[in-house]
Amino acid sequence: MSVPTPPPFDPELAAALAVMAEFIPPSLTLETLPTLRGADIGGMEEDLTRGGAIDVTELTVPGPAGEPDISLLVLRPAGEAGPVPALYNIHGGGMIMGTNRLIPTEMLDMIVELKLAVVSVEYRLAPEHPHPAPVEDSYAGLVWTAKHAGEIGVDPARILVMGASAGGGLAAAVALLARDRGGPALIGQLLLCPMIDDRNDTVSSHQMAGLGIWDRISNDTGWTALLGDRRGGPDVSPYAAPARATDLSGLPPAFIDVGSAETFRDEDVAYATRIWQAGGVAELHVWPGGFHGFDMMAPHAAISQEAKAARLRWLRRILGA
């Protein structure tokens, strides 16, 4: 296909990207995975307690039937009496790396400011554990959270699922599973630059090849790790790649955001459009000049601040806060 000119990066973000390019290549492969896993926490893991403002509890709960137990990290505002709303968080990492301790600073801010809990799930990673292990682990943790909400100080009627990148894709898949299995009634899904389409064939995926963060080669790496030879074929489950879902009706309200200068732009815009076409509710933001994960990697840029403010406004509306 003839590849059109890619959209430009936001100037502030371009400067940050130039610095990061020395440490983070745009294209990741399975050969580099051991090194990446050794460095994926790096300096991103901070004091999750915020100096005592947040209570942190690690729980081991049952995983999917016949599978290993899973870890849930529960973060709750210290001293807050009574049940609080909960963000059920599924971490990113391309399906191949990351841990449930990678809690973005933005989420820690939300715990303190909105008086809510974050429940972060540890799921098995591909390629050692291909589909359906990651999504089934994530769903099992959600089911446990809703069933045992009272034990962890969470309001079972006010649980949202959220995630960024691969975590956003898993969050969308968990919302589909909850609908189709009659599972927990979610009040929203917060999908940040979600990774939802294994076909990797959109215009944006071609435009951004070799540019920014997480390009077509990286995307192929992640999806092939998850799906093997099935990637891009006719029989991929919507619970692996939510863009494959033929029915997007009956889902909780969605917040979807993505950068204009990243691989996932077109698949995320299409997902929001199809939610509307199915009669659902979605708020979509396409941030001009944003690369993948720009708000986490360049948090002080003006556009990053705007993106975070938009999510906070949406959350306040959903929670009635």
Side-chain angles (χ1 to χ4, degrees), residues 53-289:
I54 298 172
D55 292 333
V56 180
T57 306
E58 187 162 2
L59 302 173
T60 300
V61 307
E67 299 293 342
D69 291 345
I70 56 177
S71 169
L72 293 179
L73 200 64
V74 180
L75 291 77
R76 202 174 176 285
E80 189 67 24
V84 297
L87 291 175
Y88 182 79
N89 177 60
I90 307 175
H91 71 78
M95 308 288 182
I96 55 178
M97 54 188 173
T99 79
N100 67 347
R101 298 191 68 84
L102 292 180
I103 310 292
T105 297
E106 177 185 8
M107 290 176 62
L108 300 179
D109 294 340
M110 290 174 181
I111 293 171
V112 175
E113 185 171 348
L114 298 182
K115 303 301 181 187
L116 54 75
V118 167
V119 180
S120 190
V121 61
E122 184 85 1
Y123 57 87
R124 288 170 290 171
L125 299 173
E128 295 87 349
H129 303 284
H131 177 76
V135 72
E136 290 291 355
D137 285 357
S138 299
Y139 183 72
L142 173 66
V143 170
W144 187 94
T145 297
K147 185 176 180 180
H148 297 267
E151 300 171 25
I152 57 174
V154 163
D155 181 352
R158 291 198 293 168
I159 298 175
L160 299 91
V161 65
M162 74 161 294
S165 192
L170 288 167
V174 163
L176 290 168
L177 278 175
R179 179 197 66 182
D180 296 344
R181 294 179 180 176
L186 300 167
I187 64 167
Q189 49 181 330
L190 182 57
L191 312 178
L192 310 181
C193 52
M195 175 181 173
I196 56 176
D197 196 339
D198 64 294
R199 291 165 291 199
N200 201 19
D201 60 359
T202 62
V203 171
S204 59
S205 73
H206 287 277
Q207 275 183 311
M208 303 311 300
L211 299 173
I213 303 291
W214 198 262
D215 72 346
R216 290 190 80 243
I217 292 175
S218 302
N219 209 28
D220 180 81
T221 297
W223 282 115
T224 302
L226 185 72
L227 296 171
D229 293 340
R230 290 175 294 162
R231 186 194 70 77
D235 301 317
V236 172
S237 166
Y239 308 131
R244 298 290 197 129
T246 57
D247 178 12
L248 295 182
S249 64
L251 292 171
F255 181 102
I256 300 171
D257 77 352
V258 68
S260 70
E262 68 163 293
T263 299
F264 297 149
R265 181 195 68 217
D266 293 350
E267 64 197 65
D268 292 351
V269 170
Y271 199 70
T273 301
R274 291 180 56 223
I275 290 174
W276 297 323
Q277 291 171 344
V281 177
E283 179 172 325
L284 172 67
H285 293 265
V286 182
W287 298 104

Side-chain angles (χ1 to χ4, degrees), residues 296-315:
M296 289 180 281
M297 298 185 191
H300 300 298
I303 199 165
S304 300
Q305 294 295 313
E306 291 179 25
K308 294 175 184 179
R311 293 170 203 154
L312 192 61
R313 286 193 297 268
W314 180 83
L315 269 175

